[in-house]
């Protein structure tokens, strides 16, 4: 597997992963822009409306027919959050040229169709189609509202919003319902033009073609972007100290099981040398089925239905997520912190450390076997301005010592506790 990163224009980069491992190829184009409360919903809506139709294929039916002609290819809107960067655009999956009939080329027409969707949208009166905008806006609002239906995910969204309320990271990737409600076709068109002019553009390919051919295939997109202007630079989120006393937030909904979410400041992120040690600590603490949270808080003490921890790779934040009985929340919180203290004092066995190491390394290396995970990994690295591959990060995790793991654990400080309880 060969990874090539090429700067095509200032603020426009191509990441080409050349491999013969897959029968399909992945193409993606993403606008990277600072995450903000004001723009998040409009940015999220742009690719959804673009996907509705183009000048040549003015509706979803004709656009789907064009994709069907490319061996049943797919092209889906993409809205993600990497640190304090919002990433919007498209990811497409197409048959790799190596498997096409009679040597037929799929890469070039697929990239051309992607350029058409991105740069030649169906318009009415010099802006996006009002009907398409209204329909997709309603869909976006439904998605924002539906987040509360997954209470585990909702608790994590809420603890981040409370913990990082004065930071861009506290903004949801889809924005807010209130801001989404205010969008009309003209305002959305203006936001689309702003993205074309100012957003950093990250192109991605994974398949058997060589980088030079991929670069040529993406030329219609690169040449179609507005000239001049300064595109967004890499944004590294500022680190913030936890408050002297953790924030505590409670919310009541119609739930039969409490959701306890705890946010910690880590003092490290993907840019830092100690990040591999932090990934190992996370695995020892709550990131695997052999972790302290799983084996002790869940299995041994039965204080939680589930208990796990996870790192925000591009932000100095770790979240602990657990499902608890309402009357056991105090015990659960105390034991979750007790298990962290054990990590901070080196109270874990060599076996625990090696089980965690094997889990982290295995997860990183299996990224190489899944195109969707590869695309997401390299999107994050592009947003951060980093070039380290998952195999290289795995090699660094292999070298982490016990002392380095303990030092990383000692930097973890509780910032915010969020508890979702029942109405009664």
């Amino acid at each position: 597997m060969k990874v090539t990163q090429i700067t095509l224009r200032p603020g426009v980069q191509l990441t080409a992963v050349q491999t013969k491992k897959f029968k399909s190829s992945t193409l993606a184009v993403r606008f990277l822009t600072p995450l903000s409360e004001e723009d998040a919903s409009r940015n999220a809506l742009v690719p959804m409306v673009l996907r509705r139709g183009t000048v040549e294929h003015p509706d979803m039916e004709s656009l789907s027919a064009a994709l069907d002609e490319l061996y049943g290819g797919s092209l889906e809107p993409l809205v993600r959050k990497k640190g304090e960067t919002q990433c919007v655009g498209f990811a497409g999956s197409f048959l790799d040229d190596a498997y096409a009939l009679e040597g037929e080329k799929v890469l070039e027409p697929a990239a051309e169709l992607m350029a058409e969707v991105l740069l030649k949208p169906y318009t009415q009166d010099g802006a996006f189609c009002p009907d398409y905008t209204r329909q997709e806006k309603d869909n976006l609002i439904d998605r924002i509202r539906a987040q509360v239906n997954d209470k585990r995910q909702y608790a994590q969204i809420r603890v981040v919003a409370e913990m990082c309320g004065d930071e861009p990271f506290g903004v949801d990737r889809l924005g807010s319902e209130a801001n989404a409600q205010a969008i009309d076709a003209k305002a959305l068109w203006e936001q689309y033009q702003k993205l074309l002019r100012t957003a950093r553009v990250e192109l991605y390919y994974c398949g058997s073609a060589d980088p030079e051919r991929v670069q040529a295939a993406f030329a219609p997109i690169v040449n179609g972007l507005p000239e001049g202007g300064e595109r967004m630079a890499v944004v590294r989120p500022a680190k913030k100290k936890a408050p002297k006393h953790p924030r505590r937030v409670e919310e009541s909904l119609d739930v039969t099981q409490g959701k306890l979410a705890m946010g910690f400041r880590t003092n490290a992120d993907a840019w830092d040398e100690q990040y591999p040690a932090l990934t190992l600590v996370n695995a020892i603490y709550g990131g695997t089925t052999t972790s302290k949270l799983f084996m002790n808080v869940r299995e041994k003490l039965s204080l939680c239905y589930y208990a796990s921890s996870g790192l925000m790779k591009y932000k100095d934040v770790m979240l602990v997520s657990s499902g608890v009985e309402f009357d056991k929340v105090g015990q659960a919180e105390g034991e979750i912190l007790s298990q962290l203290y054990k990590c901070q004092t080196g109270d874990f066995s060599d076996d625990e450390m090696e089980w965690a190491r094997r889990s982290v390394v295995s997860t990183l290396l299996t990224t190489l076997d899944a195109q969707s995970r590869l695309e997401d990994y390299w999107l994050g690295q592009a947003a951060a301005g980093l070039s380290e591959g998952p195999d290289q990060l795995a090699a660094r995790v292999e070298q982490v010592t016990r002392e380095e793991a303990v030092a990383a654990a000692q930097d973890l400080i509780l910032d915010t506790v969020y508890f979702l309880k029942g109405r009664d």
Side-chain angles (χ1 to χ4, degrees):
M1 186 174 288
K2 175 185 176 184
V3 180
T4 305
Q5 293 182 308
I6 307 170
T7 299
L8 306 177
R9 269 174 47 181
V12 182
Q13 178 177 271
L14 166 65
T15 299
V17 180
Q18 187 177 15
T19 175
K20 296 182 179 180
K21 183 178 290 188
F22 309 108
K23 292 185 178 180
S24 61
S25 60
T26 298
L27 284 76
V29 55
R30 295 78 58 104
F31 291 123
L32 275 57
T33 188
L35 188 61
S36 72
E37 179 67 33
E38 179 183 2
D39 292 339
S41 292
R42 284 181 293 191
N43 289 335
L45 189 57
V46 165
M48 300 175 190
V49 175
L50 287 174
R51 179 61 176 79
R52 291 297 299 267
T54 71
V55 173
E56 295 182 30
H57 303 92
D59 52 42
M60 293 187 73
E61 183 178 359
S62 58
L63 191 54
S64 295
L67 287 166
D68 287 341
E69 292 178 5
L70 295 172
Y71 293 89
S74 67
L75 185 62
E76 299 301 329
L78 174 153
V79 182
R80 299 200 194 124
K81 168 178 162 180
K82 298 295 182 181
E84 293 180 351
T85 298
Q86 188 179 21
C87 313
V88 300
F90 299 95
S93 179
F94 300 89
L95 183 71
D96 192 89
D97 285 356
Y99 297 91
L101 298 174
E102 299 177 355
E104 184 180 359
K105 291 184 178 181
V106 181
L107 170 59
E108 285 77 8
E112 188 175 342
L113 182 60
M114 185 174 284
E116 180 185 327
V117 172
L118 187 73
L119 301 171
K120 298 179 181 179
Y122 176 71
T123 60
Q124 290 184 359
D125 300 323
F128 283 120
C129 170
D131 284 344
Y132 289 173
T133 302
R134 176 181 51 79
Q135 292 164 13
E136 292 303 324
K137 180 176 77 171
D138 290 345
N139 291 338
L140 175 62
I141 291 170
D142 286 344
R143 289 176 65 184
I144 294 172
R145 290 174 177 170
Q147 289 178 327
V148 74
N149 295 334
D150 184 338
K151 299 300 188 295
R152 181 173 181 171
Q153 180 188 35
Y154 176 74
Q156 294 185 37
I157 291 171
R158 291 288 294 116
V159 74
V160 168
E162 294 290 342
M163 180 177 176
C164 306
D166 58 349
E167 302 170 80
F169 190 72
V171 178
D172 186 72
R173 68 185 181 91
L174 299 178
S176 67
E177 181 179 343
N179 285 335
Q181 289 280 13
I183 300 173
D184 59 26
K186 182 179 178 182
L188 189 64
W189 181 260
E190 291 173 353
Q191 190 67 22
Y192 165 63
Q193 298 302 316
K194 179 181 175 182
L195 286 173
L196 289 175
R197 293 192 313 270
T198 66
R200 190 149 51 93
V201 180
E202 291 289 339
L203 304 172
Y204 175 84
Y205 170 80
C206 178
S208 64
D210 61 72
E212 292 75 16
R213 184 181 162 203
V214 175
Q215 181 176 347
F218 274 125
I221 293 178
V222 178
N223 296 335
L225 293 170
E227 295 281 354
E230 187 172 343
R231 297 190 178 274
M232 179 198 113
V234 171
V235 176
R236 180 176 181 179
K239 293 176 184 175
K240 191 172 181 179
K241 291 185 177 180
K244 187 174 181 180
H245 301 289
R247 302 178 186 88
R248 293 190 173 273
V249 180
E250 286 192 355
E251 186 175 357
S252 299
L253 289 175
D254 289 326
V255 294
T256 57
Q257 180 189 113
K259 304 297 178 184
L260 176 64
M262 303 167 67
F264 296 80
R265 294 289 176 173
T266 66
N267 194 39
D269 51 33
W271 290 268
D272 292 301
E273 284 297 318
Q274 62 265 43
Y275 181 73
L278 182 61
T279 65
L280 188 57
V281 167
N282 175 65
I284 295 170
Y285 178 48
T288 71
T289 54
T290 60
S291 68
K292 289 189 173 296
L293 292 185
F294 187 90
M295 298 299 293
N296 294 287
V297 184
R298 181 186 186 275
E299 294 294 299
K300 183 178 178 181
L301 299 175
S302 299
L303 289 173
C304 300
Y305 294 100
Y306 60 86
S308 63
S309 65
L311 295 175
M312 306 294 103
K313 182 176 181 180
Y314 304 103
K315 180 66 176 175
D316 60 330
V317 170
M318 181 182 76
L319 300 181
V320 169
S321 177
S322 60
V324 302
E325 294 288 352
F326 301 134
D327 60 352
K328 291 184 178 180
V329 61
Q331 288 177 271
E333 180 184 333
E335 193 57 37
I336 286 169
L337 293 176
S338 175
Q339 296 302 322
L340 176 60
Y341 181 73
K342 290 184 178 181
C343 294
Q344 293 172 327
T345 56
D347 185 6
F348 50 84
S349 68
D350 290 342
D351 282 344
E352 285 180 280
M353 185 169 173
E354 288 310 308
W355 292 335
R357 195 192 306 273
R358 297 276 63 79
S359 177
V360 174
V361 169
S362 175
T363 298
L364 286 167
L365 294 182
T366 55
T367 299
L368 302 171
D369 299 323
Q371 282 188 306
S372 59
R373 290 178 60 187
L374 266 176
E375 184 271 327
D376 185 66
Y377 178 90
W378 284 110
L379 172 58
Q381 294 297 84
L386 299 173
S387 59
E388 182 179 53
D391 51 341
Q392 294 169 305
L393 178 55
R396 287 208 288 154
V397 173
E398 291 278 17
Q399 302 303 314
V400 174
T401 65
R402 170 180 285 272
E403 291 73 23
E404 289 170 336
V406 170
Q410 290 173 349
D411 280 337
L412 296 172
I413 301 176
L414 181 61
D415 184 296
T416 302
V417 178
Y418 170 86
F419 182 53
L420 179 62
K421 62 182 182 179
R423 294 192 186 278
D424 295 329

